[in-house]
């Protein structure tokens, strides 16, 4: 199991598969690198696909200092890229992963060759959104990550997919339910306190692909359109019939869009 020590014996888990043009994919909340299994399976024969588990999520350790923010997650990823000897890379993020990509773009723009923003948004939380995060954190502390998984699942996959592919729904629910409560609560705090990224859009000068599920209610196509129109030359691909976890729900369409984009870059 590949792991990398970030600080003081705190290890980050990651997958590093394939060869060729490298692509770092950053998962969302409250998920792990398993989110990108279909992308690794389809794309690692053409590209080098690096998929870490963020701190205190998936198989990565819980930090002793208890620090969580989109900036800290971004710096963890840069530390991993340094460890792997990768100076320039295309980065993609889904949802919270997208917020972390915005942080990477602000903090380490010289490391980024191309950008993929999937089912995400540039705006920060509203006050009502922050209040909802606080309630989710309370629920996670009281009832565990399984309760959070039950709240999130209907937002991640369409009802149709949950009915027709119960094994996919179980796979996703299990992934969310396995998140350590500390990581879950920490991520909710990082989400609630993330900065506004709308000003970041105009600063993105590298090729950018925006992907969104047509049925995504958490970060709907209107949010993706705002991102597209804010970034010069960005392309938008809408995945028909997919909700928030579009890459799991419609892997073939998403993989095709990713491969076409990566081919333009290499
Ligand atoms: C995610 O999928 O990462 C989260 O739903 C993002 C959010 O709640 O803002």
């Amino acid at each position: 199991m590949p792991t990398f020590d970030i600080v003081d014996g705190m290890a980050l888990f990651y997958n590093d598969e394939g060869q060729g043009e490298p692509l770092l994919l950053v998962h969302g909340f409250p998920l792990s690198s398993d989110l990108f299994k279909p992308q690794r399976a389809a794309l690692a024969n053409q590209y080098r696909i690096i998929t870490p588990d963020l701190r205190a999520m998936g198989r990565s350790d819980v930090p002793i200092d208890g620090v969580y923010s989109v900036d800290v997650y971004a710096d963890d990823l840069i530390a991993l890229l340094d460890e792997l000897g990768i100076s320039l890379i295309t980065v993609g993020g889904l949802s919270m992963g997208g917020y972390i990509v915005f942080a990477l773009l602000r903090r380490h723009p010289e490391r980024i060759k191309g950008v993929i923003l999937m089912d995400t948004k540039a705006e920060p939380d509203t006050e009502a959104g922050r209040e909802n995060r606080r309630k989710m954190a309370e629920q996670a502390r009281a009832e565990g990550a399984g309760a959070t998984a039950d709240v999130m699942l209907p937002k991640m996959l369409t009802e149709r997919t949950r009915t027709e592919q119960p094994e996919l729904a179980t796979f996703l629910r299990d992934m969310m339910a396995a998140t350590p409560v500390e990581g879950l609560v920490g991520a909710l705090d990082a989400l609630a306190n993330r900065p506004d990224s709308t000003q970041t859009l105009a600063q993105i000068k590298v090729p950018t692909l925006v992907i969104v599920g047509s049925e995504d209610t958490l970060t709907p196509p209107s949010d993706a359109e705002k991102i597209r129109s804010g970034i010069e030359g960005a392309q938008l691909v809408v995945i028909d019939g997919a909700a928030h976890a579009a890459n799991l729900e419609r892997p073939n369409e998403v993989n095709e869009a990713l491969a076409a984009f990566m081919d333009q870059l290499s």
Side-chain angles (χ1 to χ4, degrees):
M1 177 166 105
T3 59
F4 155 64
D5 255 30
I6 309 184
V7 274
D8 299 337
M10 183 191 114
L12 204 73
F13 170 86
Y14 65 97
N15 283 290
D16 181 1
E17 285 178 30
Q19 279 170 5
E21 187 66 31
L23 171 62
L24 172 73
L25 291 173
V26 188
H27 65 78
F29 168 87
L31 300 159
S32 77
S33 55
D34 287 349
L35 175 70
F36 296 117
K37 267 191 176 171
Q39 283 63 54
R40 289 202 297 269
L43 301 173
N45 59 350
Q46 282 169 279
Y47 315 101
R48 180 175 178 187
I49 311 289
I50 300 161
T51 52
D53 287 351
L54 296 170
R55 57 169 60 201
M57 299 179 99
R59 286 138 285 190
S60 287
D61 286 345
V62 174
I64 301 160
D65 61 8
V67 174
Y68 300 89
S69 70
V70 288
D71 286 353
V72 166
Y73 291 129
D75 290 354
D76 287 349
L77 299 177
I78 291 295
L80 174 62
L81 294 177
D82 287 346
E83 173 75 9
L84 296 175
I86 298 174
S87 55
L88 188 66
I89 191 166
T90 297
V91 292
L94 186 133
S95 198
M96 183 172 90
Y99 310 153
I100 296 167
V101 168
F102 287 130
L104 281 167
L105 284 158
R106 284 187 291 271
R107 295 168 78 76
H108 309 278
E110 74 290 350
R111 307 292 292 264
I112 300 178
K113 180 173 181 179
V115 171
I116 302 162
L117 295 161
M118 293 177 271
D119 295 279
T120 192
K121 68 197 291 185
E123 286 84 5
D125 274 7
T126 59
E127 199 34 61
R130 289 196 189 101
E131 182 52 30
N132 192 41
R133 307 268 191 216
R134 282 190 282 273
K135 286 191 182 137
M136 278 182 85
E138 257 171 49
Q139 185 190 37
R141 279 196 203 93
E143 299 169 36
T148 312
D150 290 335
V151 172
M152 292 300 293
L153 188 62
K155 301 175 184 174
M156 292 287 186
L157 302 173
T158 59
E159 190 178 353
R160 180 169 174 186
T161 298
R162 281 179 278 130
T163 308
E164 289 179 359
Q165 297 183 63
E167 68 298 334
L168 185 66
T170 302
F171 168 74
L172 189 56
R173 191 201 173 275
D174 287 352
M175 195 192 315
M176 295 192 283
T179 308
V181 169
E182 297 95 317
L184 219 154
V185 170
L188 284 164
D189 194 51
L191 287 166
N193 293 307
R194 74 184 189 279
D196 187 350
S197 292
T198 50
Q199 301 302 315
T200 308
L201 300 177
Q203 289 158 21
I204 303 175
K205 300 293 179 203
V206 292
T208 301
L209 171 66
V210 185
I211 296 178
V212 68
S214 65
E215 311 302 314
D216 187 348
T217 52
L218 272 178
T219 50
S222 55
D223 286 338
E225 175 51 30
K226 279 190 217 161
I227 294 177
R228 187 209 61 77
S229 64
I231 305 173
E232 203 184 319
Q235 310 163 47
L236 171 63
V237 175
V238 179
I239 307 293
D240 243 12
H244 196 54
N247 70 304
L248 269 187
E249 207 159 10
R250 293 278 183 278
N252 295 342
E253 288 87 333
V254 170
N255 292 342
E256 209 176 287
L258 293 176
F261 182 70
M262 291 298 289
D263 284 345
Q264 285 171 32
L265 291 177
S266 41

